[in-house]
């Protein structure tokens, strides 16, 4: 059952990578890459269950946090052009 789940996750990762390469807009590509990161987290978890190594869950959690921070950084860079600019929100 876990093997089938791993194959399904890899198939959806492939589809998301195709979407990331061919996405019509930047936000489609960012969303597809975030999806690949999420699927990678799931794949690490499934591999942990397949190999009977529960410590993979910690690695998956750290990877999920890095994926979230990376997505926020890329979105900020896309919107403001750099990482250090201060936002001007009204007077």
């Amino acid at each position: 059952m876990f093997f089938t789940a791993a194959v399904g996750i890899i198939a959806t990762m492939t589809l998301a990578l195709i979407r990331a390469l061919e996405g019509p807009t930047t936000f489609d590509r960012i969303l597809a890459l975030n999806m690949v990161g999420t699927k990678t987290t799931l794949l690490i978890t499934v591999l942990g269950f397949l190999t009977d190594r529960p410590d993979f869950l910690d690695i998956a959690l750290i990877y999920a946090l890095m994926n979230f921070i990376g997505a926020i950084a890329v979105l900020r860079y896309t919107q403001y052009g750099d990482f250090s600019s201060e936002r001007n929100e009204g007077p």
Side-chain angles (χ1 to χ4, degrees):
M1 181 170 143
F2 287 118
F3 181 75
T4 306
V7 171
I9 291 169
I10 290 172
T12 56
M13 286 175 70
T14 303
L15 293 174
L17 282 175
I18 291 171
R19 183 64 169 176
L21 292 174
E22 296 181 358
T25 66
T26 302
F27 293 108
D28 289 333
R29 292 181 174 149
I30 292 170
L31 183 64
L33 288 177
N34 193 16
M35 182 178 168
V36 169
T38 303
K39 296 300 178 188
T40 302
T41 303
L42 288 173
L43 188 62
I44 291 171
T45 304
V46 168
L47 290 177
F49 279 108
L50 278 174
T51 58
D52 198 23
R53 296 185 62 182
D55 51 341
F56 276 23
L57 287 176
D58 296 333
I59 296 170
L61 285 174
I62 291 171
Y63 189 85
L65 287 173
M66 290 174 52
N67 183 35
F68 176 72
I69 292 169
I72 296 297
V74 169
L75 286 172
R76 183 175 171 91
Y77 184 78
T78 302
Q79 186 170 1
Y80 297 112
D82 62 7
F83 295 113
S84 63
S85 67
E86 296 288 328
R87 287 192 290 175
N88 293 328
E89 295 182 10

